[in-house]
């Protein structure tokens, strides 16, 4: 795949690079092109890749573990002698009252209790809100994938209707043969063109130059068709072309009945309805206010935990005289587990950005495999366009279809008649298998069969 085709698929293509960013609900939109920020997991993979090539910097690493860095910084800053004027131990009891007199390192110890109480209260609220947010994001992801499946089904149905309703003249020498064949192939190509344009709109590149090049490389765009499409509704323009072509063919008598025309127009209508907007941001996006509140609560929860852990670790740091990382495995265990908790919260929130658009075909993701699916649909359209290659030899039996049978070069022995299927030898073999049938009844059956065959001949 060349760079132009990649930019048609990749939302970070040439058009997105020149656009200004607008932050909306945790998702960056650049001139209707969706650009995704990496999740924490992908950020970790990115750090590893950069480290292998020597191109990463401290800011990338700090962005991933900023809350842990905050906790460690508080630990070192607070875990000094000035914060514990009463000496060791740092805190005598967990249940601490600020009004106790005399207090023992009452400032820091009271701060630990207060931070823990507020963190636990906030954690419960965040659990409910974040659970609903993730459930909603996954539901929207599934809805958009289901919509894509419906588009694929409607596309196949439209190709089937065009191939079945538009007849190919039996005689290749017919003066209208090439013209009708060309009209049929054009309508089938338009059906595939509208399908690809619908997916390009979902990717946000329906009007981009890279999208045009992508369609030209697939052989779906011919002549000045791109210039005649309505910007932003190019796929809808194609459905308009197909219906106009169908009306023209009906007026010429090529589509021979009003019912056939209605069937074709109904297939176009269903396709337009399914493929109108795969993203459908109007009724499927997560509200910005909801996303903001969830993001605010998560960050507040992470900051609260960072403050609590930082002050708590500072008591460990003071009691070990700054050697807690050398003498206490519990310090390293708590540090690693808290890093995992921080990253998990971030991943759960950013999953909405990762699942937002399943049509980008990003590697190693659950995005829709459009390349493979569209290749199958294009193959179906091209194959049905050639009637000779998809019609079996058993399709034509009537004598009135002999010309069509001969034109297509179909060679098949005519189906055996009922007389030949009920032959004397065949029925005799069947009767021989049944040991309960005596000789006399068997002979009567055979004689009756001979009499019936004589009347048929």
């Amino acid at each position: 795949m060349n760079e132009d085709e990649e930019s048609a698929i990749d939302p970070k293509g040439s058009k997105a690079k020149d656009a200004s960013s607008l932050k909306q609900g945790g998702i960056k939109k650049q001139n209707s092109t969706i650009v995704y920020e990496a999740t924490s997991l992908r950020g970790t993979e990115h750090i590893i890749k950069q480290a292998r090539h020597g191109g990463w910097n401290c800011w990338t690493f700090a962005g991933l573990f900023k809350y842990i860095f905050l906790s460690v910084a508080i630990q070192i800053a607070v875990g000094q002698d000035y914060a514990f004027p009463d000496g060791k131990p740092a805190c005598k009891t967990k249940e601490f009252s600020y009004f106790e007199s005399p207090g023992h390192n009452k400032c820091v110890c009271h701060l630990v209790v207060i931070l823990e109480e507020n963190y636990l209260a906030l954690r419960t609220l965040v659990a409910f809100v974040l659970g609903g947010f993730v459930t909603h994001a996954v539901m929207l992801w599934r809805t958009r994938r289901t919509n894509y499946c419906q588009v694929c089904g409607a596309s196949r149905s439209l190709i089937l209707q065009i191939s079945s309703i538009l007849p190919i003249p039996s005689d290749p020498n017919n003066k209208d043969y090439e013209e009708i064949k060309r009209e049929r192939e054009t309508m089938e190509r338009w059906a595939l063109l509208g399908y690809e344009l619908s997916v390009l709109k979902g990717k946000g590149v329906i009007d981009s130059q890279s999208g045009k090049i992508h369609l030209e490389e697939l052989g779906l765009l011919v002549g000045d068709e791109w210039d005649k499409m309505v910007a932003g509704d190019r796929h809808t323009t194609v459905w308009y072309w197909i219906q106009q072509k169908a009306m023209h063919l009906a007026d010429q008598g090529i589509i021979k009945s009003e019912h056939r025309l209605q069937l074709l127009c109904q297939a176009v209508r269903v396709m337009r309805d399914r493929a109108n907007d795969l993203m459908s941001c109007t009724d499927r996006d997560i509200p910005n206010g909801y996303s903001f509140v969830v993001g605010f609560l998560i960050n507040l929860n992470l900051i609260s935990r960072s403050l609590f852990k930082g002050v708590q670790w500072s008591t460990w740091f003071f009691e070990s005289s700054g050697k807690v990382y050398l003498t206490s495995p519990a310090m390293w265990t708590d540090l690693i587990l808290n890093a995992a908790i921080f990253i998990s919260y971030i991943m759960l929130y950013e999953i909405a950005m990762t699942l937002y658009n399943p049509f980008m075909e990003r590697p190693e993701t659950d995005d829709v495999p459009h390349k493979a699916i569209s290749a199958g649909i294009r193959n179906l359209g091209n194959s049905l366009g050639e009637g000779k290659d998809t019609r079996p030899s058993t399709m034509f039996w009537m004598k009135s279809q002999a010309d069509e049978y001969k034109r297509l070069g179909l060679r098949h022995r005519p189906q055996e008649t009922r007389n030949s299927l009920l032959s004397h030898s065949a029925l005799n073999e069947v009767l021989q298998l049944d040991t309960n049938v005596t000789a006399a009844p068997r002979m009567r059956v055979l004689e009756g069969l001979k009499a019936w065959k004589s009347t048929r001949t």
Side-chain angles (χ1 to χ4, degrees):
M1 184 185 297
N2 56 32
E3 294 180 358
D4 291 325
E5 186 172 347
E6 287 179 350
S7 61
I9 305 302
D10 187 0
K12 298 182 180 178
S14 58
K15 183 177 180 180
K17 293 179 181 179
D18 298 333
S20 58
S21 299
L22 179 61
K23 190 78 171 181
Q24 293 188 354
I27 300 169
K28 291 182 178 179
K29 295 186 177 181
Q30 298 182 350
N31 288 355
S32 299
T33 300
I34 309 302
V35 179
Y36 298 90
E37 297 176 349
T39 62
S40 299
L41 179 61
R42 299 190 183 282
T44 305
E45 296 176 351
H46 183 60
I47 290 174
I48 296 175
K49 292 179 180 179
Q50 285 185 323
R52 290 177 179 175
H53 296 85
W56 66 285
N57 53 61
C58 61
W59 295 111
T60 305
F61 191 79
L64 190 62
F65 298 101
K66 55 187 176 183
Y67 295 105
I68 285 293
F69 291 155
L70 176 61
S71 297
V72 173
I74 294 174
Q75 175 192 30
I76 297 174
V78 179
Q80 306 299 324
D81 294 340
Y82 73 88
F84 301 90
D86 299 325
K88 300 178 182 179
C91 295
K92 290 184 178 180
T93 60
K94 184 176 180 181
E95 297 298 331
F96 182 85
S97 173
Y98 183 80
F99 300 101
E100 287 183 358
S101 181
H104 184 81
N105 297 324
K106 60 181 180 181
C107 291
V108 174
C109 296
H110 186 232
L111 185 59
V112 171
V113 174
I114 294 299
L115 288 174
E116 183 178 15
E117 290 177 354
N118 286 274
Y119 160 69
L120 293 177
L122 187 61
R123 182 181 64 179
T124 304
L125 173 62
V126 170
F128 283 103
V129 174
L130 183 59
F133 180 80
V134 173
T135 301
H136 189 56
V138 174
M139 181 193 67
L140 292 179
W141 172 83
R142 183 180 296 274
T143 299
R144 287 182 169 122
R145 288 177 68 95
T146 302
N147 191 182
Y148 176 80
C149 293
Q150 293 173 345
V151 170
C152 293
S155 178
R156 287 185 170 93
S157 297
L158 179 57
I159 293 172
L160 177 63
Q161 294 287 11
I162 293 174
S163 302
S164 303
I165 293 176
L166 293 183
I168 298 179
S170 300
D171 186 6
N173 298 322
N174 189 312
K175 64 177 182 178
D176 297 328
Y177 177 81
E178 289 296 332
E179 182 179 353
I180 296 176
K181 185 173 182 294
R182 185 169 59 251
E183 298 281 13
R184 174 190 173 109
E185 292 174 350
T186 298
M187 293 183 70
E188 289 174 344
R189 179 176 60 81
W190 282 349
L192 297 172
L193 175 61
Y195 165 71
E196 289 290 343
L197 283 169
S198 301
V199 178
L200 288 179
K201 183 173 183 179
K203 296 177 179 179
V205 293
I206 188 172
D207 294 322
S208 67
Q209 188 66 20
S210 58
K212 176 183 178 182
I213 295 174
H214 175 66
L215 295 174
E216 289 175 343
E217 291 178 349
L218 294 177
L220 300 178
L221 203 58
V222 177
D224 62 346
E225 291 176 343
W226 180 265
D227 299 328
K228 299 299 182 180
M229 296 178 185
V230 178
D233 271 304
R234 297 182 184 274
H235 56 320
T236 308
T237 308
V238 174
W239 312 138
Y240 160 74
W241 291 348
I242 294 177
Q243 289 206 155
Q244 282 286 292
K245 178 73 73 175
M247 292 295 297
H248 175 69
L249 295 177
D251 292 340
Q252 288 185 324
I254 297 175
I255 297 179
K256 300 185 180 299
S257 71
E258 185 71 20
H259 179 64
R260 294 181 180 181
L261 177 62
Q262 290 179 358
L263 287 176
L264 185 55
C265 291
Q266 175 70 9
V268 175
R269 187 196 67 79
V270 172
M271 183 64 185
R272 190 221 63 82
D273 180 61
R274 298 286 188 269
N276 180 50
D277 189 354
L278 289 175
M279 290 301 296
S280 191
C281 300
T282 303
D283 60 343
R284 293 179 184 170
D285 274 6
I286 297 177
N288 290 341
Y290 179 42
S291 180
F292 169 78
V293 170
V294 175
F296 174 78
L297 288 175
I298 290 175
N299 281 279
L300 183 61
N301 179 62
L302 295 179
I303 292 174
S304 176
R305 185 177 181 87
S306 297
L307 294 174
F308 162 62
K309 282 298 177 180
V311 177
Q312 184 186 55
W313 291 347
S314 70
T315 63
W316 303 357
F317 190 85
F318 172 73
E319 291 184 351
S320 65
S321 300
K323 299 179 180 180
V324 65
Y325 289 99
L326 300 177
T327 60
S328 177
M331 180 69 243
W332 285 104
T333 303
D334 203 18
L335 182 69
I336 294 172
L337 291 178
N338 274 276
I341 291 173
F342 291 145
I343 294 175
S344 298
Y345 272 107
I346 296 172
M347 289 174 61
L348 285 173
Y349 180 62
E350 291 186 349
I351 195 174
M353 292 186 287
T354 304
L355 300 181
Y356 179 70
N357 191 329
F359 309 116
M360 307 312 299
E361 298 184 88
R362 293 161 291 182
E364 300 179 3
T365 66
D366 292 325
D367 285 351
V368 171
H370 174 68
K371 291 181 182 177
I373 297 175
S374 63
I377 294 179
R378 290 197 304 273
N379 179 63
L380 174 67
N382 295 333
S383 299
L384 293 183
E386 296 292 336
K388 181 177 180 180
D389 295 334
T390 55
R391 295 178 183 177
S393 56
T394 54
M395 178 172 287
F396 302 102
W397 297 113
M398 300 184 346
K399 293 182 179 180
S400 60
Q401 297 173 324
D403 294 338
E404 182 76 3
Y405 185 86
K406 182 178 180 180
R407 181 183 71 80
L408 295 175
L410 302 177
R411 301 178 183 276
H412 185 77
R413 182 168 58 90
Q415 186 178 10
E416 295 180 342
T417 62
R418 184 174 180 84
N419 290 349
S420 61
L421 291 176
L422 296 176
S423 62
H424 179 279
S425 60
L427 186 57
N428 189 39
E429 290 177 1
V430 173
L431 294 175
Q432 291 291 346
L433 295 176
D434 192 349
T435 58
N436 295 324
V437 181
T438 60
R442 181 183 299 113
M443 293 304 299
R444 285 197 296 269
V445 171
L446 294 177
E447 290 175 358
L449 175 63
K450 290 180 180 179
W452 177 80
K453 291 180 65 175
S454 63
T455 59
R456 298 288 296 175
T457 55

